[in-house]
Amino acid sequence: CTQTACPVSCSNSSTCFIQGNTTNCSHCEPISLELCLNLPYNLTSYPNYLGHQTQKDASISWESSLFPALVQTNCYKYLMFFACTVLVPKCDLDTHQRVPPCRTLCKNSKERCESVLGIVGLQWPEHIDCTQFPEENADNTSCLMPDQDVEECSPSHFKCKSGRCVLASRRCDGQSDCDDDSDEEKCSCQEQGLWECPSNNVCIKHTMICDGFPDCPDLADEKNCSSCKYNEHVCNNHECVNRSLWCDGKIDCSDSSDEWDCVTLSKTTPSLLTVHKFATEFHVCADEWQDDLSALACQQMGLRGIPITQMVHEPNGRKKWLHLDSNWRHQNVSALQMLLVKGQPCHSRSKVSIVCEKEECGFRPAARMTKR
Amino acid sequence: ILGGRTSRPGRWPWQCSMQSDPSGHICGCVLIGKKWVLTVAHCFEGREKASVWRVVFGINNLDHPSDFMQTRQVNRIILHPRYNRAVVDYDISIVELDTEINETSYVRPVCLPSRDQSAQPDTYCYITGWGHMGNRMPFKLQEGEVRIISRDKCQTHFDMKTITSRMLCAGYESGTVDSCMGDSGGPLVCEETGGRWTLYGLTSWGSVCFSKIMGPGVYSNVTHFIDWIEKQIYLHTFLL
């Protein structure tokens, strides 16, 4: 390599490491640059014609901001296509080499759009010298020209009826950006092929409904997603799992949500240990309780320190209680709920109450003072 | 960090460095528990295997290991399942260390915000990292004070990208103090009453930080991910 390290584009190539050069290390990779996801090809090869070593470099480059801004001026129908051929050059699957744009495409883009840039005091990117690209139909060379049906706007843009490209984020924003106002037409989510959050009218993709990740502020996109039977409980990802499996220490929902929040403390004083086993809330009988079990409970709640344990006597308590399994000392378990069983008498008639400490965090050491 | 200053050793005890051979420091990271670190998902692009990484804590000068330094190997990398590399959304990951760190005044976790605790626009917070300074890469940890910017205002700086609720903007319109390449994954922390520091952001993306295009930096919005972070840690501590 001429540099001390292999370029990122060659980092996965054994050729680069073994032979110490970058020859033959080029490879095709899928296009991930958002601006150029609607090209008639989907593989690219780096470095590109602007000198960027990776698509990440290209995505944060000056040019990847410049071209989309320029495309809004409608200066040349195929400007975005040209921009993408230099930002993410097509990769030839046979040779793994990049395919350049044709010189004519480059020249047309420059001639029609350079003057627009000049108006706002900017210059055409200096790396783009059209003479480096081959002429169309030149011997033994291939180059890219746009088809008639090539998409003029990038995926980040909305195409006005007039053909102009405006930023997608400006569609339906209450202000006309297209010269024919078409960016403010058909603005409902339904007409855009999207789903509308009822509380704030934000549009989300249909694939985001019932996917386990809330996207609407009131979680409306994650409601009414499952119909579980009477003996089942709903998982966070909307699967149904038998209630008897809830908080049994084993994962039954594929997203493990049946084992989340199994151990909590009541908001009352004293704070009673509460376990959500069988999808029902139980208090815990104090028979045989030990301090290390309190420590485990605090850890499960994300709290640390040495807990304070109290036994709260409740001779007439009617709330359902859980009891330590008679065999609990011989069980090697990681979660408290695995040690608790129901249906046994609580001889002490006392419930476990715990006070946990919050984990120490966020404090910086005090600044040291030195005598001057 | 652009426009920052060299930090005093131990001033940011939660700052850590994600390192991999042969490059050394690649990304910043933040200690949130004895065995758990947050960073951004994009740091692992092309380096997804846990075994190639090590995490260094308690260090100020990358070139001069200190007595307070602790190094841990990575046991597990948990990328956010919705991470989208094309638009850099959901840019967050959790790293499980092979063994717990020893908590000292130089190595100490930061607090995470609660679900309803978000960084308020116009408040001032700090970013830290060993990223590019505009003219060179530093050896010593840099810190910079940045202002939290509302999402609407931030969107006006990034015509080509959507600022989502998973993102948080901070910095200045002129870009005078900003994070830069190599700061990714590092903390954006704000001081709460009582002198406690809370992690609100992880350095994620922005304009080319030493180009003519200025603007704020964009950080992963930690508040948005609190449920996911807590559940992943719980799952991998108590159930797997």
Side-chain angles (χ1 to χ4, degrees):
Chain A
C1 300
T2 50
Q3 299 166 345
T4 51
C6 293
V8 177
S9 60
C10 297
S11 59
N12 293 326
S13 164
S14 55
T15 315
C16 187
F17 289 113
I18 296 165
Q19 297 180 0
N21 66 46
T22 60
T23 312
N24 299 328
C25 75
S26 59
H27 63 278
C28 296
E29 62 184 60
I31 294 173
S32 62
L33 188 69
E34 188 188 10
L35 293 174
C36 300
L37 289 177
N38 55 354
L39 291 170
Y41 56 91
N42 49 21
L43 291 175
T44 184
S45 178
Y46 268 69
N48 65 13
Y49 288 106
L50 296 166
H52 307 135
Q53 295 294 323
T54 64
Q55 292 195 65
K56 190 156 194 77
D57 291 346
S59 72
I60 55 175
S61 66
W62 153 252
E63 292 85 357
S64 73
S65 299
L66 176 77
F67 283 118
L70 195 52
V71 86
Q72 296 176 66
T73 66
N74 217 13
C75 59
Y76 180 43
K77 185 176 179 184
Y78 299 119
L79 176 73
M80 206 59 218
F81 176 77
F82 167 69
C84 288
T85 63
V86 292
L87 279 164
V88 282
K90 181 181 179 180
C91 185
D92 185 309
L93 261 179
D94 295 326
T95 62
H96 287 196
Q97 298 298 311
R98 55 192 190 175
V99 180
C102 295
R103 191 179 299 178
T104 318
L105 173 63
C106 177
K107 284 168 77 174
N108 285 345
S109 302
K110 187 174 181 187
E111 279 169 12
R112 299 184 193 196
C113 298
E114 189 175 26
S115 56
V116 180
L117 279 179
I119 295 169
V120 289
L122 295 172
Q123 288 186 329
W124 186 253
E126 57 186 27
H127 277 91
I128 304 178
D129 173 9
C130 293
T131 59
Q132 69 178 302
F133 302 125
E135 294 282 8
E136 195 178 5
N137 302 324
D139 291 343
N140 297 327
T141 54
S142 62
C143 62
L144 294 172
M145 284 295 283
D147 293 332
Q148 284 294 317
D149 56 352
V150 71
E151 286 288 335
E152 294 163 50
C153 302
S154 81
S156 304
H157 284 82
F158 169 73
K159 187 177 177 182
C160 306
K161 279 184 183 167
S162 63
R164 185 173 177 174
C165 303
V166 298
L167 289 170
S169 59
R170 297 202 176 146
R171 167 146 165 73
C172 299
D173 67 351
Q175 292 187 327
S176 307
D177 298 286
C178 293
D179 36 12
D180 55 8
D181 300 341
S182 54
D183 60 316
E184 295 301 321
E185 292 173 4
K186 296 183 178 175
C187 281
S188 75
C189 296
Q190 196 178 1
E191 283 170 309
Q192 295 176 68
L194 299 167
W195 190 79
E196 185 173 324
C197 293
S199 57
N200 63 352
N201 303 333
V202 163
C203 304
I204 64 169
K205 292 178 191 166
H206 283 280
T207 53
M208 295 163 101
I209 302 169
C210 294
D211 68 347
F213 289 97
D215 296 288
C216 300
D218 59 353
L219 317 184
D221 58 317
E222 298 296 325
K223 283 180 181 161
N224 304 321
C225 295
S226 40
S227 53
C228 298
K229 295 176 196 157
Y230 76 98
N231 61 340
E232 291 177 326
H233 206 63
V234 61
C235 308
N236 196 54
N237 61 3
H238 313 296
E239 292 171 359
C240 298
V241 157
N242 194 296
R243 301 176 81 91
S244 65
L245 302 174
W246 215 259
C247 289
D248 64 351
K250 293 177 196 146
I251 294 171
D252 299 291
C253 298
S254 61
D255 64 354
S256 78
S257 55
D258 60 309
E259 298 296 326
W260 292 342
D261 301 327
C262 293
V263 176
T264 54
L265 293 177
S266 69
K267 302 279 184 215
T268 56
T269 306
S271 51
L272 295 169
L273 179 62
T274 308
V275 176
H276 192 72
K277 197 153 175 137
F278 313 114
T280 308
E281 286 200 342
F282 291 92
H283 290 155
V284 177
C285 170
D287 290 359
E288 297 188 62
W289 192 259
Q290 293 186 357
D291 285 346
D292 50 351
L293 295 170
S294 300
L296 176 60
C298 292
Q299 273 182 37
Q300 270 186 248
M301 288 180 279
L303 304 166
R304 292 288 163 107
I306 300 165
I308 301 164
T309 309
Q310 270 186 299
M311 308 305 170
V312 180
H313 190 60
E314 200 168 309
N316 301 317
R318 290 189 177 182
K319 184 123 182 166
K320 295 170 183 173
W321 292 14
L322 291 175
H323 198 282
L324 276 169
D325 184 22
S326 55
N327 201 28
W328 73 270
R329 283 193 180 81
H330 306 292
Q331 294 183 40
N332 184 20
V333 299
S334 54
L336 182 66
Q337 64 267 28
M338 299 167 81
L339 299 172
L340 299 169
V341 292
K342 68 175 177 179
Q344 293 191 13
C346 184
H347 301 296
S348 65
R349 300 301 296 168
S350 298
K351 296 175 178 178
V352 178
S353 160
I354 302 176
V355 178
C356 303
E357 279 180 37
K358 199 170 179 205
E359 186 170 16
E360 276 299 296
C361 63
F363 283 116
R364 303 196 312 197
R368 290 195 200 94
M369 288 193 296
T370 51
K371 289 178 183 170
R372 291 179 180 173
Chain B
I1 305 288
L2 303 182
R5 62 179 183 186
T6 299
S7 181
R8 181 171 56 77
R11 185 168 156 85
W12 308 104
W14 37 82
Q15 171 84 50
C16 50
S17 165
M18 296 289 305
Q19 301 189 358
S20 178
D21 290 329
S23 327
H25 171 85
I26 290 175
C27 273
C29 56
V30 194
L31 183 68
I32 56 165
K34 288 192 172 184
K35 220 181 165 190
W36 298 95
V37 156
L38 287 185
T39 185
V40 287
H42 79 247
C43 292
F44 298 108
E45 281 174 22
R47 296 183 184 89
E48 292 88 358
K49 279 175 68 178
S51 57
V52 305
W53 290 95
R54 64 179 175 274
V55 189
V56 181
F57 303 90
I59 189 171
N60 182 265
N61 187 333
L62 288 175
D63 208 31
H64 289 90
S66 77
D67 294 343
F68 313 108
M69 189 176 95
Q70 297 181 37
T71 303
R72 295 291 182 274
Q73 299 301 310
V74 171
N75 190 40
R76 190 193 316 271
I77 297 165
I78 307 165
L79 302 179
H80 196 285
R82 275 191 171 185
Y83 169 57
N84 181 330
R85 61 186 290 177
V87 293
V88 206
D89 200 2
Y90 292 91
D91 191 11
I92 190 167
S93 60
I94 306 171
V95 171
E96 185 185 17
L97 307 173
D98 64 339
T99 53
E100 292 190 348
I101 51 93
N102 301 316
E103 197 172 322
T104 67
S105 60
Y106 287 82
V107 182
R108 185 176 282 179
V110 71
C111 298
L112 291 176
S114 54
R115 285 165 192 78
D116 52 358
Q117 195 180 1
S118 52
Q120 294 303 311
D122 299 327
T123 54
Y124 286 83
C125 300
Y126 277 86
I127 52 172
T128 49
W130 289 279
H132 213 283
M133 297 171 68
N135 52 356
R136 67 182 178 90
M137 292 292 280
F139 290 112
K140 291 184 177 175
L141 182 68
Q142 302 291 304
E143 65 184 40
E145 192 177 26
V146 288
R147 189 175 64 205
I148 305 294
I149 292 172
S150 71
R151 201 172 341 142
D152 287 347
K153 195 169 181 185
C154 184
Q155 185 64 71
T156 63
H157 291 276
F158 296 103
D159 272 357
M160 290 316 303
K161 291 272 193 186
T162 305
I163 305 298
T164 68
S165 58
R166 282 77 61 185
M167 300 172 191
L168 172 69
C169 296
Y172 303 91
E173 291 180 8
S174 55
T176 44
V177 182
D178 198 3
S179 47
C180 197
M181 283 78 157
D183 290 320
S184 278
L188 182 156
V189 286
C190 310
E191 189 174 15
E192 314 289 346
T193 49
R196 205 182 268 271
W197 290 77
T198 301
L199 179 73
Y200 285 100
L202 297 169
T203 302
S204 179
W205 62 274
S207 59
V208 182
C209 40
F210 39 88
S211 72
K212 297 168 203 164
I213 311 168
M214 298 300 186
V218 183
Y219 300 79
S220 298
N221 182 0
V222 174
T223 304
H224 182 93
F225 296 107
I226 284 302
D227 272 340
W228 180 74
I229 294 167
E230 286 184 350
K231 282 170 180 166
Q232 291 304 315
I233 292 178
Y234 177 79
L235 180 67
H236 289 96
T237 305
F238 294 102
L239 298 176
L240 295 180

